[in-house]
Amino acid sequence: MNRLKKLWREGKPAVGAFLSIPSGLSAEAMAHTGVDWLCLDMQHGCLDYSDVVPMLTAISTTAVVPLVRVPWNEPSMIMKVLDAGAYGVIVPMVSNRAEAERAVAACRYPPAGIRSNGPNRAVYYGGADYQKGADGEMLCIAMIETAEGIAKMDEIISTPGLDAVYIGPTDLALSLGLAPVMDNDEPKHVATVNKILETCRKHKVKAAMHTASAKYTQRFIDQGFDMVMLVNDRMAMSNYVKAEVGKLTGWKPGA
Ligand code: 3PY
Ligand code: MG
């Protein structure tokens, strides 16, 4: 059973993190932090398929829901990460209905979609009859972050079978002619984010937002987002060590 879907059925938001470091150990460590979900980032993280499989295994030692952001809207990789045990995919840069339908179809077995049979690792949590319930459990999450996607948000968000829409704030900013900063307060950015959330509400699709801080994670939870990303592993590590280094007195880095 997909615990993310359970949280949503209970009306609860889910908080998670992105993993960009190719390590089973850091995936396991992050899975023990209290987050609801972890997303292995194959788009911008340093992860290949051979990294993703042991990281999914490491996350499976906990109840945390494993997701994968695939590098692109490409059915073969979507199917491979679902076979390897992801409970859903985040698909970047979905710009129109046809692209959203392509992503959804790759996540669903026939007759609903085109997913090919071969759930090699997924059977270990799904059981021998994994295929029976898989279409209802695997999350297909499309990112809206391109200029075309912003213009066509209604046709994307209303795509049958799409579970959620995930906002990529920095690509969204670039698409709006703004600087690619996270936790963005530019009025044009805020208005676009609000409009995506509203459109998700209209079509009863879950809305997900990416942040770089607890302050903005809290803000988006309070605003009604169903899924919010709090932190990524690389930033967590470097921010923590930088802060600790900064607390030392009588010592300067490299001095
Ligand atoms: C973006 O900010 O564009 C993202 O995709 C977040 O990783
Ligand atoms: Mg992006």
Side-chain angles (χ1 to χ4, degrees):
M1 184 204 33
N2 189 332
R3 281 184 63 252
L4 212 44
K5 293 193 91 165
K6 180 171 178 283
L7 283 175
W8 289 341
R9 278 195 296 274
E10 293 165 357
K12 295 179 186 154
V15 172
F18 264 45
L19 301 182
S20 63
I21 300 171
S23 159
L25 176 58
S26 66
E28 189 174 9
M30 289 290 283
H32 283 271
T33 56
V35 294
D36 298 309
W37 56 271
L38 286 171
C39 177
L40 312 190
D41 186 8
M42 296 184 81
Q43 187 192 20
H44 293 300
C46 300
L47 310 182
D48 288 322
Y49 189 71
S50 53
D51 303 310
V52 160
V53 177
M55 292 172 78
L56 288 168
T57 309
I59 296 168
S60 290
T61 60
T62 70
V64 171
V65 179
L67 304 173
V68 174
R69 175 161 72 174
V70 288
W72 199 249
N73 187 0
E74 212 287 300
S76 69
M77 187 55 82
I78 293 174
M79 294 182 203
K80 278 175 79 72
V81 299
L82 293 177
D83 284 348
Y87 265 95
V89 289
I90 298 180
V91 182
M93 299 230 160
V94 173
S95 291
N96 53 50
R97 170 61 75 93
E99 290 180 10
E101 284 173 349
R102 177 180 164 94
V104 171
C107 296
R108 314 288 178 231
Y109 288 120
I114 60 160
R115 183 176 174 192
S116 174
N117 183 51
N120 60 68
R121 237 204 102 243
V123 289
Y124 296 124
Y125 65 74
D129 62 349
Y130 165 87
Q131 293 92 334
K132 249 176 144 179
D135 284 2
E137 297 296 328
M138 299 304 115
L139 292 169
C140 183
I141 304 172
M143 295 193 72
I144 291 187
E145 52 186 347
T146 64
E148 186 188 352
I150 295 166
K152 297 181 179 171
M153 68 172 79
D154 201 78
E155 68 173 50
I156 294 170
I157 297 172
S158 58
T159 302
L162 188 71
D163 294 291
V165 162
Y166 193 106
I167 300 174
T170 61
D171 279 312
L172 192 81
L174 287 174
S175 302
L176 294 168
L178 302 169
V181 292
M182 221 60 98
D183 295 351
N184 201 320
D185 285 325
E186 285 282 348
K188 208 158 57 158
H189 198 277
V190 173
T192 307
V193 168
N194 291 348
K195 196 165 165 220
I196 294 172
L197 177 61
E198 240 175 64
T199 310
C200 286
R201 288 278 164 274
K202 184 172 95 182
H203 295 295
K204 297 190 173 20
V205 162
K206 302 299 173 194
M209 185 59 178
H210 195 92
T211 81
S213 63
K215 181 177 160 197
Y216 279 77
T217 293
Q218 189 64 57
R219 180 186 294 183
F220 290 117
I221 289 172
D222 294 345
Q223 201 187 339
F225 275 87
D226 305 285
M227 174 178 180
V228 187
M229 181 276 199
L230 170 69
V231 71
N232 86 40
D233 52 1
R234 181 180 61 81
M235 296 303 293
M237 183 167 70
S238 67
N239 288 345
Y240 175 78
V241 177
K242 258 194 233 165
E244 290 298 287
V245 164
K247 288 179 194 167
L248 301 176
T249 55
W251 174 84
K252 292 265 174 292

mmCIF file of all heavy atoms in Angstrom, residues 2 24-25 38 53 68 75 91 120 144 163 208 211 241 254:
data_model
loop_
_atom_site.group_PDB
_atom_site.id
_atom_site.type_symbol
_atom_site.label_atom_id
_atom_site.label_comp_id
_atom_site.label_asym_id
_atom_site.label_seq_id
_atom_site.Cartn_x
_atom_site.Cartn_y
_atom_site.Cartn_z
ATOM 1 N N ASN A 2 0.494 2.218 -0.801
ATOM 2 C CA ASN A 2 1.248 3.469 -0.904
ATOM 3 C C ASN A 2 0.843 4.404 0.248
ATOM 4 O O ASN A 2 -0.269 4.942 0.264
ATOM 5 C CB ASN A 2 0.964 4.103 -2.265
ATOM 6 C CG ASN A 2 1.857 5.289 -2.549
ATOM 7 O OD1 ASN A 2 2.305 5.963 -1.624
ATOM 8 N ND2 ASN A 2 2.109 5.545 -3.811
ATOM 9 N N GLY A 24 23.609 4.183 -0.923
ATOM 10 C CA GLY A 24 22.595 3.475 -0.139
ATOM 11 C C GLY A 24 22.619 3.927 1.305
ATOM 12 O O GLY A 24 21.575 4.056 1.944
ATOM 13 N N LEU A 25 23.799 4.225 1.809
ATOM 14 C CA LEU A 25 23.922 4.634 3.209
ATOM 15 C C LEU A 25 23.262 5.990 3.441
ATOM 16 O O LEU A 25 22.513 6.178 4.402
ATOM 17 C CB LEU A 25 25.403 4.681 3.619
ATOM 18 C CG LEU A 25 25.684 5.185 5.033
ATOM 19 C CD1 LEU A 25 24.969 4.325 6.079
ATOM 20 C CD2 LEU A 25 27.180 5.202 5.306
ATOM 21 N N LEU A 38 10.765 10.087 0.116
ATOM 22 C CA LEU A 38 12.065 10.488 -0.423
ATOM 23 C C LEU A 38 12.015 10.331 -1.934
ATOM 24 O O LEU A 38 11.482 9.337 -2.441
ATOM 25 C CB LEU A 38 13.181 9.596 0.132
ATOM 26 C CG LEU A 38 13.582 9.837 1.587
ATOM 27 C CD1 LEU A 38 14.542 8.744 2.049
ATOM 28 C CD2 LEU A 38 14.225 11.222 1.761
ATOM 29 N N VAL A 53 18.738 1.556 -7.683
ATOM 30 C CA VAL A 53 18.231 0.272 -7.169
ATOM 31 C C VAL A 53 18.663 0.023 -5.710
ATOM 32 O O VAL A 53 17.802 -0.199 -4.853
ATOM 33 C CB VAL A 53 18.598 -0.896 -8.120
ATOM 34 C CG1 VAL A 53 18.130 -2.224 -7.536
ATOM 35 C CG2 VAL A 53 17.984 -0.656 -9.499
ATOM 36 N N VAL A 68 10.831 8.398 -7.542
ATOM 37 C CA VAL A 68 11.984 8.735 -8.378
ATOM 38 C C VAL A 68 11.590 9.865 -9.320
ATOM 39 O O VAL A 68 10.527 9.808 -9.959
ATOM 40 C CB VAL A 68 12.450 7.514 -9.218
ATOM 41 C CG1 VAL A 68 13.560 7.922 -10.183
ATOM 42 C CG2 VAL A 68 12.949 6.382 -8.302
ATOM 43 N N PRO A 75 9.156 6.819 -21.415
ATOM 44 C CA PRO A 75 8.488 5.642 -20.832
ATOM 45 C C PRO A 75 9.438 4.558 -20.333
ATOM 46 O O PRO A 75 9.177 3.943 -19.299
ATOM 47 C CB PRO A 75 7.619 5.108 -21.984
ATOM 48 C CG PRO A 75 7.409 6.276 -22.890
ATOM 49 C CD PRO A 75 8.622 7.151 -22.761
ATOM 50 N N VAL A 91 7.769 13.459 -13.035
ATOM 51 C CA VAL A 91 8.185 13.582 -14.431
ATOM 52 C C VAL A 91 8.407 15.058 -14.750
ATOM 53 O O VAL A 91 7.463 15.859 -14.674
ATOM 54 C CB VAL A 91 7.102 12.986 -15.368
ATOM 55 C CG1 VAL A 91 7.546 13.071 -16.821
ATOM 56 C CG2 VAL A 91 6.800 11.544 -14.976
ATOM 57 N N ASN A 120 10.459 -6.493 -11.145
ATOM 58 C CA ASN A 120 11.461 -7.345 -10.513
ATOM 59 C C ASN A 120 11.613 -7.124 -9.010
ATOM 60 O O ASN A 120 11.540 -8.041 -8.227
ATOM 61 C CB ASN A 120 12.806 -7.245 -11.248
ATOM 62 C CG ASN A 120 13.352 -5.826 -11.262
ATOM 63 O OD1 ASN A 120 13.726 -5.282 -10.230
ATOM 64 N ND2 ASN A 120 13.392 -5.200 -12.431
ATOM 65 N N ILE A 144 4.980 20.929 -13.493
ATOM 66 C CA ILE A 144 4.655 22.100 -14.312
ATOM 67 C C ILE A 144 5.710 23.144 -13.984
ATOM 68 O O ILE A 144 5.860 23.573 -12.830
ATOM 69 C CB ILE A 144 3.225 22.615 -14.044
ATOM 70 C CG1 ILE A 144 2.219 21.584 -14.576
ATOM 71 C CG2 ILE A 144 3.015 23.980 -14.703
ATOM 72 C CD1 ILE A 144 0.765 22.028 -14.541
ATOM 73 N N ASP A 163 -2.050 11.818 -10.851
ATOM 74 C CA ASP A 163 -2.302 11.886 -9.411
ATOM 75 C C ASP A 163 -1.978 13.249 -8.824
ATOM 76 O O ASP A 163 -2.665 13.719 -7.922
ATOM 77 C CB ASP A 163 -1.443 10.834 -8.688
ATOM 78 C CG ASP A 163 -1.853 9.423 -9.060
ATOM 79 O OD1 ASP A 163 -2.951 9.018 -8.659
ATOM 80 O OD2 ASP A 163 -1.087 8.750 -9.775
ATOM 81 N N ALA A 208 1.891 19.636 -5.345
ATOM 82 C CA ALA A 208 3.171 19.454 -4.651
ATOM 83 C C ALA A 208 4.098 20.623 -4.953
ATOM 84 O O ALA A 208 4.115 21.160 -6.061
ATOM 85 C CB ALA A 208 3.812 18.145 -5.096
ATOM 86 N N THR A 211 10.740 23.240 -2.004
ATOM 87 C CA THR A 211 11.265 24.395 -1.279
ATOM 88 C C THR A 211 12.729 24.153 -0.901
ATOM 89 O O THR A 211 13.279 23.094 -1.186
ATOM 90 C CB THR A 211 10.489 24.678 0.027
ATOM 91 O OG1 THR A 211 10.970 23.796 1.056
ATOM 92 C CG2 THR A 211 8.994 24.506 -0.141
ATOM 93 N N VAL A 241 27.316 21.567 7.826
ATOM 94 C CA VAL A 241 28.756 21.674 8.116
ATOM 95 C C VAL A 241 29.196 23.139 8.074
ATOM 96 O O VAL A 241 29.953 23.602 8.931
ATOM 97 C CB VAL A 241 29.583 20.784 7.151
ATOM 98 C CG1 VAL A 241 31.079 20.964 7.402
ATOM 99 C CG2 VAL A 241 29.187 19.317 7.330
ATOM 100 N N GLY A 254 41.073 27.231 6.318
ATOM 101 C CA GLY A 254 42.252 27.379 5.456
ATOM 102 C C GLY A 254 43.310 28.312 5.990
ATOM 103 O O GLY A 254 44.320 28.533 5.334
#
